[in-house]
Amino acid sequence: MSTLPDGRYVDDRPYERDLGEEARNADLDVSNTRLVWRRFREHKLGLVSALFLLFSYLMLPFAGFISPYTANERAPDHLYGAPQGIHLFHEGSLIGPYVYPITAEVNLETFSWEYIRDYDNPAKLEFFCEASYYKLAGFIKTNRHLFCAPEGATVFLLGADRLGRDVFSRILYGAQLSLTVGLVGITVSFFIGIILGSIAGYFGGFLDWIINRVIEILRSLPELPLWLALSAAVPSHWSPVAVFFIISIILGILDWPGLARAVRSKFLSLREEEFVRAAEMMGAKPSRVIGKHLLPNFLSHLIASATLSIPAMILGETALSFLGLGLRAPAVSWGVMLNDAQNLASIEIYPWTAIPMLPIVIIVLAFNFFGDGLRDALDPNRS
Amino acid sequence: MKVEGLTIGFGNAAPVVEDVGFSVEPGETLALVGESGSGKTLSCRAALRILPEVAQVHSGSVVFDGSNGPVDLMGLSERAMCDIRGNRISMIFQEPMRSLSPLHRIGNQVIEVLRLHGTAKGQGAYKRVIETFERVGFADPERIYQSYPFELSGGMRQRAMIAMAVVGKPDLLIADEPTTALDVTTQAQVLGLIKEIQQDNGMAMILVTHDLGVVANLADTVTVMNRGRVMEAGPAPLVLGDPQHGYTKDLFAAAPKIPDSGEEVSREDKPDYILEMRNVSKTYTLKGKAAWHPKIHVQAVRGIEFGVERGRTLAVVGESGSGKTTCARMALGAERADPGAEILFRAKPDADTVNLQDLDTSARLAFQRQAQMVFQDPYSTLNPRMRVKDALCEPMDIHKLGTRPERVDRAAEMLRWVGLSPNMLTRYPHAFSGGQRQRLSIARALMLGPTFLVCDEPTSALDVSVQEQVLQLLEEIRDRLNLSYMFISHDLAVVARIADEVAVMREGLVVEQGPTEVLFHNPQHPYTKALLAAQPEPDINRPINLKIVAQGAGSPSTWPEAYRFDGTSVPPLTEMGLGHKVRCYA
Amino acid sequence: AQYTESSFWQTDVDAGSLPPIAERLPYVPLVVDLEAKGRVTGRQGGTLRTLVTRSKDVRQMVVYGYARLVGYDETYEIRPDILAALDIEDNRKFTLRLRPGHRWSDGHPFTSEDFRYWWEDVANNPDLSPSGPLEFLRVDDELPTVTFPDENTVIYEWSGPNPEFVQQLAEARPPFIYRPAHFLKRFHAKYADEDSLRAELRAKRVRSWAALHNKSDNMYKFDNADLPTLQPWMLATKDAKSRYLFVKNPFYHRVDTKGTQLPYLDIIEMNVVSSGLVAAKANAGEVDLQARGLDFKDIAVLKKGEAMGGYHTELWKNGTASQIAIYLNLNYNDDGWRNLMRDVRFRRALSLSIDRKIINKALYFGLAHEGNMTVLPQSPFHKPENLTAWAEFDPEKANALLDEIGLTERNREGQRLLPDGRPLWLVVETAGERQEVENALQIVVDNWRDIGVKMIMRPLERDILRNRVYSGQTQSAVWFGWDNGLPQPSTPPMFAVPQQQEFFAWPKWGQYYQTHGEAGEAPDMPEAIRLMELAAAWKQSTSEAKRGDIWQEIVDIHADQVFAIGLLSGARQPVVVNNDLINVPQKAIWAWSPGAHFGVHRPDEFWFDR
Amino acid sequence: MAMLRFAVFRLFTMLATLVVVSVLIFIIINLPPGDYLSNQINELRATGQSSGVAKAEFLRQEYALDRPLWEQYLIWMGFAPGPHGFSGLLQGEFGWSFEFDRPVAELVGGALWLTVLVNLAAILFVYMVALPLGVIAAARAKTWIDYTSAFVGYLGLATPNFLLALILFYYGNRYLNLPIGGLMDPKFEGEPMSFEKMKSVLVHLIIPTFVIGTSGAAAMMQRLRANLLDELGKPYVETARAKGMSESRMLVKYPLRVAFNPFVADIGTLLPAMVSGSVLVSVVLGLQTIGPVLLTALKSQDLFLSAFVLMFVALLTLIGTLISDLLLALLDPRIRFGGRSS
Ligand SMILES: Nc1ncnc2c1ncn2[C@@H]1O[C@H](COP(=O)(O)OP(=O)(O)OP(=O)(O)O)[C@@H](O)[C@H]1O
Ligand SMILES: Nc1ncnc2c1ncn2[C@@H]1O[C@H](COP(=O)(O)OP(=O)(O)OP(=O)(O)O)[C@@H](O)[C@H]1O
Ligand SMILES: [Mg+2]
Ligand SMILES: [Mg+2]
């Protein structure tokens, strides 16, 4: 650095005359997905959520193995059994994981079940033991469980319900349905909603008019009577899961207009953006403009919407069961379990029957943070 | 305002602004010039503390000595900062389109500055805004007040930005390339306005610009930046007259000038037009004040007739808002002309002509393969969610040319051509400087190897040395590949250099048209004359001749009889010499 | 006798807008000896709060009020009530004797004119009754001759016996064969003048005088505050939506031995709330008497709230013959299945394999009676062995029975196969309203799986279920057992024989009878035919003993044939009673028919000891 | 002008759509087997109450339920004469409710204002809670306030409404002495509006508003947040900052308006939601709104009542979409509904 006598300042580093070479190095070959992943990793909460979700889904086939009971296995002597803690120390000495056996007795004064713990006879849990048969991953029939109740005792980690079924095991089994089938509806609804919404929004004019009329009509159509009619029309011998599957697809089919309108209105405005014009002038086909230019600019909303529909889809059946259409036994889902818990006794006297709320909240939050992480990773402004 | 030791970086990478310092006194103008991408904008923003979130100020202080004594802006509370921004220090952003909210009327966005700081209220504020609009050269300020940004031409938006910045009469104005999109007459007017305010209020100004002519005309001190560092700084006469640093020297040497005289080029008898526009007009309907108000119609272009010869360059110059961009867009079929127009394109000398007004899908695709555009506002034409790599590869993608690696290779090649590093391929558009984005736009247009290129102010945001490089590039490929250009620019020096033929537009009309040499050395129309006179020269001793400017740039009804427009009656284009047409009564 | 004026009406009496008590009562009021019934003679006054779940349930006040021409007493014998006497000759001729001086709630005399009006101008008016008088008035399609010899006498007479007549009059929802003629005539085209009728039509927004008449004339719906009534309480709120007040009828015909006019309670306040909240409200002490909307599963919560809510929870027994019964549809549209279901061994096997004990324990704390559908112990036809017939848990026997039928083939999952090779998947449709049904069926699913029968449960909307059953689309359905679990010899046995489609085992046979052969199918199973014969014999017979025998045989046939697989009976119905409310029985039966829920326990005798 | 023309054009399409919708509605509510009166007769018979049958049969003729479906439709709409001449929707006759035995108009009118009240409260709640929270969550993304609001929102969303209501009622009654169910203390019913009544209504509204509102609020908040985060990086936001706007004011004026686009698109559902939005919630909470009326009507196939309510909701939906389209055009001047130019 130097200051000339006339008050000028001149940099005195050697000066080379080449243009625009940037010092920063970036590897060119990284694919977009990799970059997104790299950025996603920085969102800690999102990462944890993603891992949790991954774990949850990977666990689904092994739900039978992890849970000590099968979904509809009843313990007739432990109706409304209270949650049992797992203890390690008994009278000051470590004897490994054990439970106190419980006997349930009717109290005809209060008309409720009372649980008497037998503190003298701790029963040690068994591991990799044999209990009732189930199908691992849906086809391997086995009776090995990660842990099971000791002889003569029960292990209800989260209590038992009215018929003496283990809430913990049912939550695990319920996840198999709740975490999968409901998503089908979301997929269907997003698929239709995005496609039709994009078409309406991007092309406008006549197509927009038509699609909007369809949306209006669909939206004006009452869902309630439709469900009522449907419940009469479904063939009787269909399994509950099949019915539920169909219903979630129909839910999806009925659900798309909201999304489609959102997509449409956003696209009506986005399509006027210069970069869309530019793409068109390069000769980009509509599908390309929509897929590569418009949708990515609406992705945040879509991610948020998807996350938000998840609890709705998981719980959709509880509303439907008011109309006799919900998922029903012997199928187990979180919605079914909560449905059973919708009475005062469950709240006041046997609160553990309402526990399935927790996994729903946790899963939904995980999806939310995962979605947020994804949004963040895709956000160009954060690079 | 005094900036010292400013270092800004992104993430862990090497800082992009390093140890930069400059200062400006009240009533003074500091010109910040330098290479495109050298960190000028970032430094200015840092002073206002509105850097992008990912940017970090590693060190530096910004001391602002306003009416309340000196304060270090870096340490100020967000609240206090709000008081300073817009009120004490205001800023004109480089890219006016993106910097204006698309959903609010211009007037609303401008008057807000007054309301926010309680400078003026109600009718008074409105008056002041309208007045400022007038002073930045809007013929119809009320209309502008009611318009939305997308309804304005590039230059008009820029003027709206300027109006927004100066309407609050700040102590310091940071003007980031405030006149790039303005034609020279308007530019002169705007610069005049700024000077006036400076004199009246003792306003200080930091002027970022590439136009050394403007620097020469306006600046008191100059700071030259390159690659994030200050190369040279000092009083304008000294730096301009006697550059010391190597970079400064190079920079000034690269400044284009209108050649003093040129030789007549012989012309072929029958021009081979690649694109010909006949009787092309375009009328826009504005969103009125409210649903029940009558609609305002704007005749953006009125009866244009010209053609672009194969292998040659047609330059279109003219007043901001005169319909140049509209013309260009119509030439590429991006906008439909009013009925009755014919826009004919002939891909090869022996091919059939196609009328762009009625193309079917496949013909359109074929046309789009041949014809590309460099947009005036590169920022908004780049999808903010697309990496540069994808944006550049997209044209090839669309036309299914090459394999993926080939496309990327070509993209890297193109970047190199326009003076950018291939490293930048993985960045998103927002992570570039204005000039860099402009070059991206050029690179993208070249990706397909078109035969016809419409360049809408392609070099306005480039410093002269880069501009030189780009122009060279354009010339080279024109000569090598027999490319034809339609070139829109406000920089007459650039036009003089690259164009074979020039059309001068005013109010949607071509007022004069002819071969470059003729036009530059024998201008007939008062407006053309005004344009030439208003062209600032990078020479401190040759100030702009404001008298000619005023005469030509004034309203068409003040022109001499022969040229005067009177309402809708307009003089015809009269052939004056070989290919030289002037709009006058013969 | 000396009657005491009620303080509730005192001001009206003093003001002269209401005659004094002695003039309001019939000359011979019905005197109730509360002490003899083991109750406590009470005091007038107080407001009783209760809840219903739909606003149309204001009709419950007609049910609870239970003022009938004749009605059941607490031993389920029929006694005259509004009538002073009812003379019956051979079940053919019925002489109804009214109480002289009896008045409608608006003070107008209640006379044979009111009966005549109904018979001639309502029941036989083609506009008001398009299909003529009610079914129960027809004996072999013959209508009665109805005569009105004097103001206080009405005679219904048929050539053959009509044993149903009296029972119907004592129902929870009786056919009101009398109407307040003085009130209704102004809506009747025959009596009203045309102009005022037209004005009335416009005001009420109805289209024809018939509709207007019909609307005004809802003795059962009880939603017209202007319509005079004979019930103990009358509606006092107009246009209410969620809160209905009923005040005591000043002309009510019953008094206690101390000369206090019944009902004791001045006001009944009926609030409409959603069904899910009844328990919560009861728990919070917001009701004084509540059974409707409360379920067995609420008992724990109710008990818990007793101390704070100032009430106690009585547990009555339900009066239906079976709390949960599975009906195999003997008229199912599918041949293979129908044949199987008609095989009594199949029904027995299914019944035998159900572990009722567990269900009882899980659902009712073991307090209900496990067993097949049969009459309740209070009925003279109850036999303990009928309750346990084919109802003890014996999967082995069940398996043996199924094997015996020939259902020996099984698929890989261990499910038996029909002779035509289809797996034995039994779809059980339910009305989906009761959680306990679902829970019970859960257990049944497991039980049946053990005998190789796969059960699929399918909840439906109540009306949809019914329509499906009637058209033979439903394989099997779950419903209550007979509504009337307490038949007496005089109880018409229609509901127990194939004469009603409402018995889900034989919808089509029932239709056949009900439509006189136009729809449905004639019974073609010997046992069904036998039941039909028994019903016919019952109708012809006049002797109590003979009828008793017939009833007994019907009950036995049901027990043997397992037409409905009952799971449990006598489940407990929680009844929340305010601690101050006196005379509410501790042990009683909660039944619609006979009994009209609270009706037979006479709420007009309940009172507040405050 | 163009806007006005557009509005008029939309109005006409709306009417046409309404006719189509009316046909569909009529078909759908007639889909389940049986009709009100035959179900009614069945029910009466099933419970041994044969005495009501005559009346049901009378109604069947009176309301042309014995005619073929298409004829019933025409009569209902007022396109064809019924047993008593033209008396359909077009003539302003909304029909008769069998279930409640009252004219539909009378029935619906009463429930309507309560419905609007409840849902208005819920919508207000949603906007008052979700709007500021969404903006704050975006402005302070990834801070505790963001996470907490997400958690609470999703908690509300993931709890079945009925369970939530029951819990709130039970504990609300026990510890805060809040009323259980209903929309006002029964004793105020039919009373003229008074301060006391107002107070009672407000107290009764607390839990329903909360229950209905939570899910809506969470949805709105999260989506708003996502949209806002997108906008926050845009250069025009910086311009606004450079003007010296305070962060909150800037957020509200600029990005919020852009981010609002998808919500304006959804205004179409807001109106009908005011009427039918909370059907199931109202049913379980025992609110005397149109929701339970509709559900009972549907379940019992009370033809005219359900058809009218559904038609009304459909009309509101259509008006809603109309308004939302017009608002969209106002919100974003760039929007044109025409076909793609060029
Ligand atoms: N968000 C970002 N992320 C990474 N790099 C960025 C980002 N924004 C700007 N840069 C880089 O910082 C450098 C300085 O940019 P700046 O906008 O200050 O340039 P400039 O001097 O204003 O150039 P021009 O004259 O072209 O506008 C450029 O090289 C640019 O690529
Ligand atoms: N979409 C539009 N809607 C309404 N008016 C428009 C629209 N686009 C352009 N205009 C108007 O058309 C006129 C010409 O605009 P155009 O963009 O062609 O000008 P220009 O010559 O390119 O100016 P500049 O040099 O400032 O870019 C201007 O008055 C402008 O306001
Ligand atoms: Mg810049
Ligand atoms: Mg332009």
Side-chain angles (χ1 to χ4, degrees), chain B residues 45 99 108 112 117 287 291, chain D residues 1 238-239 243 253-254 333:
Chain B
R45 288 175 157 226
S99 302
N108 179 345
E112 189 177 51
H117 300 289
K287 299 230 169 207
Chain D
M1 276 322 243
E238 270 164 17
T239 312
K243 280 185 208 167
K253 179 160 181 189
Y254 292 103

Side-chain angles (χ1 to χ4, degrees), chain C residues 243 270 291 377 490 595:
Chain C
R243 180 178 186 243
M270 193 178 251
S490 60

Side-chain angles (χ1 to χ4, degrees), chain A residues 22 24 383, chain B residues 10 16 35-43 52 54 94 176-177 210 424 427 430-436 461:
Chain A
E22 279 265 321
R24 293 208 288 166
S383 60
Chain B
F10 291 93
V16 285
E35 190 194 15
S36 157
S38 59
K40 302 181 295 293
T41 304
L42 282 182
S43 312
V54 275
Q94 193 171 2
D176 195 353
E177 308 192 11
H210 294 304
M424 297 177 172
R427 287 204 211 161
H430 73 93
F432 288 86
S433 79
Q436 289 169 335

